[in-house]
Amino acid sequence: MATLKDVANLAGVSIATVSNYLNNTKPVSKEISKKIQDAVNELHYSINLNAKNLKSKINTDIGVILPRACLKIKNCTKHVFLSPFHDRIKKKGAFICQDVMN
């Protein structure tokens, strides 16, 4: 799994510049942005949300526990209940942890 440091090394920029680009916190030139994006694509880099949450001390995880009875309903799975919310929650950078309790 590629790290921020790996992306920075491949792009030939500092870790701070990569962070600024990915988090849109400070302006980055078009030339440098392209180098970073190319490195991100080549390394298949994705932001580690757990690390980001630990650093920012903000937890965006959402836990959902559904009763086992919902699995007995025909064509009803936990995904049916969560699918309307999943895309909106993911766009906000949150993570859904879902499970069924006994």
Side-chain angles (χ1 to χ4, degrees):
M1 183 172 183
T3 65
L4 206 62
K5 186 176 182 179
D6 297 331
V7 173
N9 287 337
L10 185 58
V13 298
S14 70
I15 294 171
T17 301
V18 174
S19 179
N20 289 332
Y21 170 76
L22 293 174
N23 295 307
N24 201 26
T25 50
K26 290 186 182 177
V28 178
S29 73
K30 287 182 182 180
E31 180 184 339
I32 298 296
S33 295
K34 180 166 178 11
K35 287 181 181 182
I36 295 170
Q37 190 58 55
D38 289 346
V40 165
N41 293 342
E42 184 175 329
L43 296 170
H44 304 288
Y45 175 79
S46 62
I47 295 173
N48 182 331
L49 290 177
N50 288 329
K52 187 174 181 178
N53 287 343
L54 283 171
K55 178 75 175 168
S56 68
K57 297 181 181 175
I58 296 172
N59 188 340
T60 57
D61 295 352
I62 298 170
V64 178
I65 300 174
L66 299 169
R68 184 165 299 282
C70 78
L71 295 178
K72 293 180 182 177
I73 302 170
K74 185 178 180 182
N75 297 326
C76 180
T77 66
K78 55 190 173 185
H79 304 291
V80 171
F81 292 105
L82 299 176
S83 61
F85 308 104
H86 192 268
D87 288 338
R88 283 186 275 172
I89 289 169
K90 195 171 183 179
K91 283 180 186 175
K92 296 286 186 182
F95 173 76
I96 299 177
C97 179
Q98 52 194 8
D99 203 353
V100 177
M101 67 180 202
N102 289 327

